[in-house]
Amino acid sequence: MSGAKKTSRKSGTPRGNGRPWTFYALAGFFTLYVIALYGPMFSIYLLSFQDLKGGLVFPMRGFSLHWFEELFMQTRTGDFSGSFRRSIGLAVLVTLFTVVFSFTAGLAFRKRFWGDTAVFYLMIASLVAPGLVLGIGIGIGFNLLGFQTSWYTSALGAQLSWTLPFGILVMFAVMSVFNSDWEEAARDLGATRWQTTRLIVLPILAPGLVAVALFGFTLSYDEFARTLQTAGPLNTLPLEIWSMTLNVTSPALYALGTVSTIVSFFVIGGSLYLITRIRRKRAASTAAGE
Amino acid sequence: MSPGRNLVGWLNVTPLLLVLIPFFVIPICVVLAVSFVETDGFGGLYPVFTLDNYAMLFRSDLTLRLYAATLKFTLLTLLFTSVIGFWVAYFLVFHVRSKLIAMGLFLVCTVPFWTSNIVRMISWIPLLGKEGLINTGLQGVGIINEPLEFLLFSSFSVVVAYVHQLTIFMIVPIFNSMARIDKSVVEAALDAGASRLDIMRMIILPMSRSGIALGAIFVTSIVMGDFFVVKVMSGGGTASVVGAFYEDVGVLQYPTAAASAIVLTLVVMLLVAAILRVVDIRKEITQ
Amino acid sequence: MNTGKGHIELAGIGKSYDDGASFAVQGINLKIPDGSYCCFLGPSGCGKSTILRMIAGHEDPTEGKILIGGENVVGLAPVERRTAMMFQSYALFPHLSVRDNIAFALRVRGLSVKDRNAKADEMIEKVHLGEFANRLPGQLSGGQQQRVALARAAITEPRVLLLDEPLSALDEHLRIQMRAELRRMQKDLGITFIHVTHTQMEAIALSDIVVVMDKGHIRQAGSARDIYSAPRDRYVAEFIGGQNVLSGRISDIDKGTARLGGDTFGQIVVPLPEGHRKSKGEKLDIAIRRDDVDLRPVAAQPDLPPSATSIVGRVQAIEYQGNYVKVQIDAAENDDFVSFMPERKFYEAGLTVGDAVLAVWDIQHTQLLA
């Protein structure tokens, strides 16, 4: 944070050159928060690398990849790789729908239209409704209609009823920097509606859409309450972890957490990379002119 | 408002409605309908109207205890997440001088949000357990002789897990509303002779109110609707509203579960509506 | 130059909302000759931008016709009208370079990359942006952005260019510079420019035709000089500025003149046009240009020429302006009464605040307001 010292005083609160005592107090508080945020996660990553003698608590007993092997072998820990594949597949589907539907809904909510407030509050209601209630409703509904629940039908819909409102809220934030003059200018210059969307709206909103995709993926990948009653006979990863927490008392549980987090980090890293790449590509087109 | 504009608006929200109607409106209606019918006790439903399911619910002492427990968790979580979220956001917006560093630290706070909540929850087990890091540490230093039992599988660990998961829902909206405070307003207040406490009380707190409200909506709805965290982190010792009707479903008592689900949904919606009176969420987000 | 192609006629256009309950503009009739520079001038909310957007095709009038080159364009898309609009925010596409921004219209018309870049580069040279062709809009200064916006609008070879407050985002110094550049561009392109502004000096400096608007109506349309020296009514006189507006009642009519009495000023002589229908006791508003008002010390009781009239007042405030001095007198109760005295003359007279003065002007310099 020493670099910050050189920059000119931008925030109005601290006066003079010295920092107020609150800075140090809050910096300490912030550090504690970050430690509490990350500390526990790192402890299970460590513990997942124990060997056969390993238990659920410190100290580390040995070092091996034993519990990861056990995870993929589908022995007593259950169908890990199957649930893992389903979760990824489901998350990809949810992401696609969330991005496209949030985008169109975001476009709709920029202008007032008859009934927009009703749709908006319906969306908020869907966001805050208890997930298990919806899950049970969908489960019974499918049952009544004689459909089999499965991860790619009922669970997909159940998850969308939660990721979509979330994605739209993110979309609102993204759209708030969008100037509708751009669309009008494109129209003025002779672009069709489709050309305007393809050449102007989508490229400008691209980084925001990646952010929506990140939300869609991670919310789905972690979804539990809505999926519990709707996933059908085959488990997704969170359901698998749920059943493991109830009956598995070995570091395999931690290994599962580690693998799951690695996937998350790939997704987060990939998204951030994509966003910065889009930004840099734009900046790069300028470099030629320097 | 021209008819063309309405048409475009509705066309654009059609995909949203195609999800919300079959997967939100209808399921809620199904649960509502089920809550008014009789059951044979083995999962079969008779289409006979009855209010017994609700009568049973309201007559049971258990209901009150469940709601008391769930509300207790909700309030405690709200308290801790809002206090922590407020000070973290305040630190980032008003104390970190470089914008770049502030954004970097903000990202540090948000990354765990994108990892699995469930994994983050179980990660407290090796820390809080009877032989966990905290107990062995404290015993090692000699502060305690016996391991502290209340750390894990207790109300304490439930609140810890909630706060760990949900503080981010406070930080982000509070950060956003604070970032929108014009710094010259603060300077003008200083020039007018306001103390830093005055500024906090009269400028920053009122202007962060909408962020806190937005965060409270997320935290309330998630904690009220949860049973996973309670179940795992309390070691099965504490029940919750959702946990109770999940067990009803497990033994095929659909109508009583449905009645309980409807009451819970109403309670959550009322709480959220109460918060929405404080803040115009749509205006807040679209700004 | 396609003579007559950019001739615009607004025939009774109006735009109302909620089935006529409220309106943005009403009863607009105006003819703008081809190749002229026309400014719509008025305070915000007066409907000037609405008219511009209706000509551009971004909004439709609820009544009336818009004729461009003799053809009614209501209902046509902007491209079909061959108009181009420059937005107040410039609306430059933030993800496209200067060249791609300017070439956008050609791109959507299906021109090859080579052709459109060649044309765009030609236009880039015209607006002196050669070295910035590959930059993004965000990396340009306000003046440069404005030139990109202008080039982007002009590349379609429109017959009418519509500019919505094009100078409002610039600082004072740049505004005057870009003002001249706009006028030069208009002459070069030889097309009709319609420019919306709330700044009086901008309109007066640029236009062939100034259209003064208020609350959805046109108050006066004419050359800049007409508007400035012969405002039609009190609103125009006050909005354009540089005028003293006095209200009074006619106390006497004598051939070509009338005597006017106000609450705080005595009898002044006002010329009446031939065939006037004014009568005794009628209310009358007049305007006198501030630079037509001369100040003399009352004590000197000067012998005024018969062609002059005067009122008495006290000097309230003096503001030095460089080449002239603005002297405010408490002659009219609710209206400012100001004399712009040439700097030298002011110091010869040696006036100070509180002095009683006689404000004198030539009767023929009085402008009767509707």
Side-chain angles (χ1 to χ4, degrees):
Chain A
M1 215 162 292
S2 58
K5 276 211 150 117
K6 291 189 192 95
T7 55
S8 62
R9 184 170 59 87
K10 279 200 189 107
S11 71
T13 323
R15 285 245 146 165
N17 286 324
R19 292 181 180 280
W21 64 269
T22 47
F23 172 81
Y24 300 99
L26 287 175
F29 181 76
F30 182 79
T31 313
L32 281 179
Y33 173 69
V34 172
I35 290 173
L37 194 59
Y38 285 88
M41 295 164 64
F42 281 102
S43 65
I44 69 157
Y45 306 153
L46 264 181
L47 290 175
S48 64
F49 287 97
Q50 299 178 94
D51 64 19
L52 203 56
K53 305 185 294 291
L56 283 176
V57 292
F58 282 103
M60 284 278 286
R61 291 187 182 86
F63 185 88
S64 77
L65 292 176
H66 172 83
W67 300 106
F68 291 92
E69 281 162 27
E70 177 150 324
L71 211 54
F72 284 97
M73 298 249 285
Q74 196 188 341
T75 50
R76 63 188 173 107
T77 50
D79 177 19
F80 164 71
S81 35
S83 65
F84 184 65
R85 274 199 311 276
R86 279 187 290 279
S87 264
I88 297 279
L90 179 56
V92 168
L93 279 179
V94 168
T95 305
L96 282 177
F97 282 113
T98 304
V99 169
V100 177
F101 291 7
S102 300
F103 175 69
T104 60
L107 289 181
F109 281 116
R110 282 188 312 168
K111 298 204 180 89
R112 304 306 301 249
F113 57 92
W114 186 86
D116 59 340
T117 310
V119 177
F120 180 81
Y121 282 106
L122 182 69
M123 186 187 96
I124 296 295
S126 180
L127 183 71
V128 300
L132 195 67
V133 175
L134 279 197
I136 290 170
I138 294 169
I140 299 175
F142 266 60
N143 206 358
L144 290 175
L145 293 171
F147 296 152
Q148 172 65 290
T149 51
S150 69
W151 62 269
Y152 48 84
T153 55
S154 47
L156 174 66
Q159 293 198 348
L160 282 175
S161 74
W162 145 253
T163 60
L164 212 46
F166 226 109
I168 292 170
L169 292 186
V170 176
M171 207 61 218
F172 279 167
V174 172
M175 291 270 189
S176 67
V177 296
F178 190 87
N179 180 352
S180 59
D181 280 356
W182 286 323
E183 278 172 289
E184 217 161 63
R187 206 164 87 85
D188 198 74
L189 292 166
T192 60
R193 198 179 276 270
W194 167 237
Q195 280 173 321
T196 307
T197 307
R198 189 168 55 90
L199 299 175
I200 303 299
V201 181
L202 279 176
I204 292 177
L205 293 180
L209 291 174
V210 175
V212 173
L214 177 61
F215 271 90
F217 190 94
T218 54
L219 290 175
S220 159
Y221 182 64
D222 195 32
E223 218 295 320
F224 173 74
R226 278 159 213 255
T227 322
L228 188 60
Q229 294 294 311
T230 54
L234 299 168
N235 274 353
T236 62
L237 194 58
L239 301 186
E240 196 64 30
I241 301 180
W242 155 255
S243 63
M244 278 177 82
T245 56
L246 299 181
N247 52 42
V248 175
T249 50
S250 73
L253 180 63
Y254 297 158
L256 184 51
T258 306
V259 173
S260 163
T261 311
I262 289 170
V263 173
S264 297
F265 273 114
F266 268 112
V267 172
I268 299 168
S271 305
L272 293 180
Y273 170 75
L274 213 59
I275 292 173
T276 46
R277 212 182 79 122
I278 294 169
R279 294 240 167 94
R280 197 166 304 148
K281 212 171 107 194
R282 282 177 197 172
S285 72
T286 67
E290 301 295 319
Chain B
M1 263 185 267
S2 66
R5 186 154 132 196
N6 284 329
L7 186 67
V8 171
W10 278 100
L11 276 179
N12 277 333
V13 290
T14 300
L16 171 70
L17 293 176
L18 285 180
V19 171
L20 291 189
I21 291 172
F23 293 103
F24 169 62
V25 179
I26 294 178
I28 292 285
C29 294
V30 166
V31 174
L32 188 67
V34 170
S35 72
F36 288 113
V37 300
E38 287 179 359
T39 175
D40 58 7
F42 304 101
L45 300 173
Y46 298 122
V48 179
F49 181 85
T50 174
L51 287 171
D52 284 355
N53 304 310
Y54 286 96
M56 223 155 80
L57 196 66
F58 288 120
R59 248 183 263 131
S60 158
D61 291 342
L62 183 67
T63 310
L64 209 61
R65 279 209 306 279
L66 289 173
Y67 273 92
T70 302
L71 279 174
K72 180 187 79 180
F73 286 135
T74 308
L75 289 177
L76 284 173
T77 310
L78 271 177
L79 177 71
F80 286 112
T81 53
S82 57
V83 169
I84 297 172
F86 181 84
W87 289 112
V88 166
Y90 178 73
F91 173 71
L92 292 178
V93 175
F94 289 99
H95 276 81
V96 179
R97 292 175 187 179
S98 150
K99 258 211 166 89
L100 204 67
I101 291 175
M103 276 324 288
L105 293 178
F106 181 71
L107 206 63
V108 166
C109 294
T110 48
V111 162
F113 167 75
W114 286 310
T115 65
S116 166
N117 275 328
I118 300 169
V119 172
R120 283 163 56 206
M121 179 188 72
I122 57 173
S123 68
W124 283 98
I125 295 172
L127 290 188
L128 298 178
K130 208 187 272 184
E131 295 157 38
L133 214 50
I134 292 177
N135 270 327
T136 45
L138 290 178
Q139 278 172 301
V141 193
I143 296 176
I144 52 170
N145 296 322
E146 295 285 305
L148 298 172
E149 294 275 357
F150 74 88
L151 286 182
L152 189 61
F153 302 134
S154 60
S155 296
F156 174 78
S157 55
V158 172
V159 175
V160 167
Y162 278 140
V163 172
H164 190 220
Q165 281 181 15
L166 301 178
T167 303
I168 188 65
F169 284 101
M170 283 289 183
I171 294 179
V172 173
I174 298 177
F175 180 90
N176 279 338
S177 48
M178 278 186 184
R180 258 187 294 180
I181 298 176
D182 186 349
K183 297 291 189 296
S184 58
V185 170
V186 176
E187 297 204 326
L190 280 171
D191 288 343
S195 71
R196 303 213 306 136
L197 190 70
D198 291 336
I199 288 170
M200 173 62 70
R201 204 161 46 86
M202 297 191 290
I203 296 172
I204 294 170
L205 214 52
M207 291 178 91
S208 315
R209 206 181 55 166
S210 56
I212 298 173
L214 210 53
I217 290 176
F218 281 109
V219 171
T220 306
S221 63
I222 292 173
V223 175
M224 294 288 292
D226 169 78
F227 75 105
F228 188 80
V229 174
V230 180
K231 176 118 184 158
V232 174
M233 294 309 277
S234 74
T238 311
S240 64
V241 178
V242 182
F245 74 71
Y246 177 63
E247 264 152 36
D248 279 348
V249 171
V251 294
L252 304 177
Q253 294 297 328
Y254 288 124
T256 44
S260 173
I262 290 297
V263 172
L264 174 73
T265 307
L266 280 178
V267 170
V268 173
M269 295 291 174
L270 284 177
L271 284 176
V272 171
I275 300 171
L276 282 175
R277 290 184 69 89
V278 182
V279 53
D280 182 347
I281 186 176
R282 182 165 177 189
K283 203 175 123 222
E284 205 52 50
I285 294 168
T286 45
Q287 251 173 9
Chain C
M1 204 164 107
N2 309 317
T3 315
K5 281 279 178 68
H7 170 98
I8 295 175
E9 187 177 345
L10 308 179
I13 59 169
K15 169 126 188 133
S16 55
Y17 299 106
D18 307 325
D19 294 323
S22 61
F23 63 91
V25 294
Q26 214 175 37
I28 301 292
N29 287 295
L30 187 69
K31 285 182 182 173
I32 305 165
D34 183 41
S36 56
Y37 202 118
C38 171
C39 275
F40 280 83
L41 175 65
S44 60
C46 71
K48 56 191 193 303
S49 288
T50 309
I51 292 181
L52 193 79
R53 293 170 54 77
M54 289 193 291
I55 299 174
H58 292 304
E59 274 177 47
D60 286 324
T62 42
E63 57 189 76
K65 282 183 190 169
I66 299 171
L67 299 128
I68 303 181
E71 169 204 10
N72 187 6
V73 295
V74 172
L76 294 184
V79 209
E80 296 167 310
R81 297 176 185 218
R82 295 205 20 241
T83 57
M85 180 148 163
M86 201 178 117
F87 290 79
Q88 184 172 10
S89 62
Y90 305 146
L92 298 177
F93 306 129
H95 61 301
L96 298 180
S97 68
V98 167
R99 180 182 291 114
D100 290 346
N101 258 286
I102 294 174
F104 183 82
L106 307 176
R107 183 174 176 189
V108 297
R109 281 168 175 73
L111 259 71
S112 72
V113 180
K114 212 180 111 213
D115 288 354
R116 65 185 194 232
N117 278 352
K119 276 199 160 185
D121 284 339
E122 224 172 90
M123 186 54 88
I124 288 171
E125 284 314 312
K126 240 187 224 174
V127 293
H128 314 295
L129 284 168
E131 53 186 312
F132 304 109
N134 292 308
R135 292 244 185 127
L136 291 180
Q139 298 161 309
L140 301 179
S141 72
Q144 289 161 347
Q145 288 184 12
Q146 203 227 22
R147 275 188 258 159
V148 177
L150 196 57
R152 187 180 69 178
I155 200 157
T156 55
E157 294 174 7
R159 46 186 180 175
V160 181
L161 191 66
L162 304 155
L163 306 102
D164 189 3
E165 302 261 4
L167 303 172
S168 61
L170 307 175
D171 63 43
E172 186 62 31
H173 176 72
L174 208 56
R175 203 178 308 175
I176 290 167
Q177 201 181 323
M178 292 310 295
R179 204 161 79 184
E181 205 158 320
L182 278 181
R183 186 72 219 209
R184 185 182 58 77
M185 274 298 274
Q186 192 258 338
K187 287 262 181 302
D188 281 0
L189 296 169
I191 59 174
T192 312
F193 270 38
I194 299 181
H195 175 136
V196 157
T197 180
H198 61 260
T199 314
Q200 295 84 345
M201 285 321 293
E202 201 170 294
I204 286 171
L206 278 168
S207 329
D208 300 317
I209 305 168
V210 179
V211 182
V212 182
M213 291 199 58
D214 178 41
K215 294 180 189 136
H217 296 279
I218 292 180
R219 284 307 188 101
Q220 189 172 1
S223 72
R225 175 136 204 254
D226 275 357
I227 301 275
Y228 187 76
S229 61
R232 186 184 292 160
D233 58 17
R234 188 184 186 98
Y235 175 82
V236 177
E238 282 177 345
F239 189 72
I240 296 287
Q243 305 272 357
N244 293 313
V245 179
L246 295 175
S247 291
R249 234 169 250 290
I250 297 173
S251 56
D252 198 8
I253 296 184
D254 176 27
K255 285 177 228 155
T257 58
R259 288 191 161 281
L260 198 66
D263 294 339
T264 54
F265 57 88
Q267 299 295 307
I268 53 177
V269 183
V270 178
L272 289 178
E274 245 169 80
H276 70 84
R277 286 202 213 128
K278 303 285 175 207
S279 54
K280 241 169 120 171
E282 208 174 312
K283 267 197 75 174
L284 192 61
D285 285 352
I286 58 164
I288 308 113
R289 269 166 64 167
R290 292 175 171 179
D291 51 348
D292 279 341
V293 177
D294 191 15
L295 298 181
R296 303 188 191 173
V298 167
Q301 208 37 260
D303 35 4
L304 297 173
S307 65
T309 188
S310 66
I311 55 178
V312 185
R314 235 166 242 289
V315 175
Q316 252 180 337
I318 295 170
E319 208 173 72
Y320 187 70
Q321 302 279 344
N323 54 351
Y324 67 92
V325 179
K326 182 179 168 187
V327 185
Q328 195 171 335
I329 304 155
D330 62 349
E333 196 176 8
N334 293 318
D335 302 303
D336 284 346
F337 195 92
V338 171
S339 165
F340 291 159
M341 285 182 85
E343 201 241 20
R344 278 182 214 289
K345 220 170 161 199
F346 172 81
Y347 285 102
E348 279 164 20
L351 295 175
T352 52
V353 172
D355 286 356
V357 288
L358 205 56
V360 186
W361 66 91
D362 191 312
I363 295 169
Q364 293 310 316
H365 289 163
T366 311
Q367 173 71 27
L368 262 57
L369 302 177

